Amino acid sequence: MKLIRCILVITLLSTLLTGCWGSKEIEHMIYVNTVGVDYVDNKVVIYIQMVNFSGIAKKEAGQTQEQKTFTGKAEGDSFDNAIFNLYASSPQRIVWSNVKTIVFSEAALKKESVINQVLEVWDRYYEFRYTVWTMATKEPIEKVLNTASISDLSVIYSQLNSPMRTFEQSSIIAPLYLYRFIWKWREEADTVHLPFLEIVPDWTSNKVPSPNISMTGMCFLQNEQYRGCLKSKDILGIRWFEKKTQRTPLVIKDDKKVLAVIVMSKIKFSIQPKMKNGKPVFDIKVSMQGTLPELNTSITRSALELKAIKEIDNQIRETYLKGLEINADVYGLSGIFYRELPKEWKKLNDKGIIPLDSKSIDKISIRVNLNSGGISKIE
């Protein structure tokens, strides 16, 4: 009897123990790496890029293995409907907790309701996170997601999924987290700076073209409306107002000849709004330190600093004017005016935007201090 009682007690206690009855092997699930959102023929089209963890592990262990990219596609009347249609064709359970990037097509950006659908679903489903990169492209999204990374690296190490690695080395276009996108998208008068992706042919593998994904510009959205995109060469002024800028090159030219290259860091800035002749205008102050890795002429230190100041001033003004051409407030001046001078903003704004023109930037004060790297070459 005692033996029977012991067996019964053990049996009952064993039912209280937790186990792995519902566990799934990692290879039996699809881990989404990148989500693409498009809008075609009044349908929301969703793309997913799958990450192959086994290939990454073998690569890091020193074993050579081709890095394969797998993508899935589905469409629906809404973003969530497209996701459920994707589930229907999936061979295994889809896991969203590893998403690193969302890529919007230009068509999706132009459709305000599509963006709001994505943000609504992202806010409600527990597997989604806000610390994912947000980007845009005019390329076919399926082509972007199927572009292999160079040197057999996994796509998680590309600019698509790890943009900060490039930005830390050369700060031109700042990557954008989803939570900042949401904040700027919904904040009255503010401007979203959305990095723009292209497939570039600049790399080769054994003389064979090896296209790569690169951030080549920026798209602008304001008051939940798409304004347009500008190329890198047209937005060089924005980096002087980006808090994440770590080191960025400034090329000093004279008649198309490169005189020097200065690497700028420790950038500080302020934009002060005010009223002048009944119109909103802004005073800008920027300061930075520079190192000198390249100098191709004989010049004094003060003269070089003055040339740098002139070039930065030109970049700030040219980028601002390029933004006006596409009706984009590239420096978010409306948002600054809204926060600093709310009473005046209420009187002047038209649908959340204050009137801006080529004279809205009143004064620009720039200070450049060359403090190391090749300073011994100049007086």
Side-chain angles (χ1 to χ4, degrees):
M1 289 295 292
K2 289 183 178 181
L3 178 61
I4 294 173
R5 287 177 182 176
C6 288
I7 293 173
L8 289 173
V9 170
I10 292 171
T11 302
L12 289 172
L13 290 174
S14 66
T15 61
L16 301 177
L17 298 175
T18 58
C20 300
W21 303 107
S23 67
K24 298 286 185 181
E25 297 293 336
I26 188 172
E27 63 268 22
H28 294 162
M29 291 184 283
I30 294 177
Y31 288 86
V32 180
N33 193 55
T34 305
V35 175
V37 182
D38 200 358
Y39 188 73
V40 181
D41 297 331
N42 297 320
K43 296 284 187 180
V44 178
V45 184
I46 182 175
Y47 297 85
I48 62 169
Q49 181 189 69
M50 175 185 170
V51 60
N52 185 348
F53 284 112
S54 62
I56 296 171
K58 290 181 179 179
K59 181 71 177 179
E60 292 182 347
Q63 300 179 28
T64 302
Q65 178 172 324
E66 181 183 358
Q67 299 297 301
K68 295 182 179 180
T69 302
F70 298 91
T71 59
K73 174 185 176 183
E75 65 177 37
D77 295 326
S78 69
F79 180 68
D80 202 29
N81 181 224
I83 288 177
F84 274 92
N85 290 337
L86 185 67
Y87 289 152
S89 64
S90 175
Q92 295 291 337
R93 175 184 172 86
I94 295 177
V95 180
W96 303 94
S97 57
N98 283 73
V99 174
K100 292 179 175 59
T101 307
I102 305 175
V103 181
F104 290 98
S105 70
E106 185 179 36
L109 292 177
K110 290 179 179 179
K111 195 71 176 178
E112 171 193 339
S113 60
V114 173
I115 297 178
N116 285 326
Q117 287 172 21
V118 174
L119 300 183
E120 179 73 12
V121 172
W122 217 270
D123 187 49
R124 293 180 179 274
Y125 190 54
Y126 71 95
E127 284 190 14
F128 289 128
R129 296 172 293 112
Y130 291 107
T131 51
V132 299
W133 302 113
T134 313
M135 302 179 184
T137 187
K138 292 183 181 180
E139 305 269 11
I141 290 185
E142 191 169 10
K143 186 177 179 181
V144 171
L145 299 189
N146 280 297
T147 300
S149 184
I150 64 170
S151 188
D152 290 330
L153 290 172
S154 170
V155 290
I156 67 173
Y157 302 122
S158 68
Q159 283 196 41
L160 179 63
N161 295 144
S162 297
M164 280 303 295
R165 294 173 183 266
T166 301
F167 184 75
E168 288 168 356
Q169 194 168 34
S170 180
S171 303
I172 303 293
I173 301 170
L176 182 69
Y177 272 128
L178 178 62
Y179 70 85
R180 288 184 61 86
F181 176 94
I182 296 172
W183 160 33
K184 298 285 188 178
W185 171 258
R186 293 176 175 166
E187 181 73 13
E188 192 166 20
D190 227 324
T191 303
V192 179
H193 294 162
L194 190 62
F196 177 76
L197 292 174
E198 281 187 319
I199 300 172
V200 296
D202 301 337
W203 294 76
T204 59
S205 176
N206 293 326
K207 298 183 180 181
V208 177
S210 180
N212 191 34
I213 295 172
S214 178
M215 291 194 294
T216 60
M218 190 175 287
C219 297
F220 301 91
L221 302 94
Q222 189 173 12
N223 290 344
E224 299 191 0
Q225 292 183 354
Y226 172 76
R227 300 296 183 186
C229 303
L230 294 173
K231 290 286 191 176
S232 297
K233 63 182 178 65
D234 296 323
I235 58 169
L236 293 175
I238 291 178
R239 56 184 169 162
W240 311 119
F241 306 102
E242 173 54 58
K243 293 181 180 179
K244 292 195 292 289
T245 296
Q246 297 186 28
R247 61 192 307 270
T248 187
L250 179 71
V251 180
I252 307 299
K253 293 183 179 180
D254 185 14
D255 294 330
K256 298 183 179 182
K257 177 185 176 183
V258 176
L259 302 180
V261 176
I262 307 172
V263 177
M264 299 298 187
S265 61
K266 298 183 179 181
I267 298 169
K268 298 179 180 179
F269 67 90
S270 67
I271 302 177
Q272 186 62 44
K274 63 182 182 181
M275 295 294 294
K276 185 176 181 180
N277 299 326
K279 294 183 178 181
V281 295
F282 301 83
D283 290 340
I284 294 173
K285 292 183 179 180
V286 185
S287 65
M288 63 198 73
Q289 294 183 9
T291 59
L292 192 64
E294 181 179 343
L295 180 64
N296 301 316
T297 187
S298 177
I299 190 172
T300 65
R301 174 175 176 170
S302 59
L304 187 56
E305 289 176 343
L306 287 174
K307 286 184 176 294
I309 289 171
K310 182 179 179 180
E311 178 61 24
I312 294 167
D313 185 285
N314 289 338
Q315 290 182 4
I316 291 173
R317 295 183 186 277
E318 288 175 4
T319 295
Y320 174 72
L321 294 176
K322 284 290 182 180
L324 290 182
E325 291 177 6
I326 61 171
N327 197 27
D329 180 7
V330 294
Y331 297 138
L333 300 180
S334 288
I336 294 171
F337 196 86
Y338 169 71
R339 289 185 289 272
E340 297 291 331
L341 300 172
K343 291 182 180 179
E344 289 81 356
W345 184 86
K346 288 181 180 179
K347 296 177 183 178
L348 294 171
N349 88 91
D350 180 18
K351 297 180 181 179
I353 301 174
I354 59 173
L356 297 173
D357 56 36
S358 59
K359 298 181 180 179
S360 294
I361 295 180
D362 191 27
K363 298 177 183 178
I364 300 179
S365 175
I366 302 170
R367 184 165 58 87
V368 173
N369 179 28
L370 295 177
N371 59 7
S372 64
I375 296 301
S376 59
K377 298 179 182 179
I378 59 178
E379 299 178 0

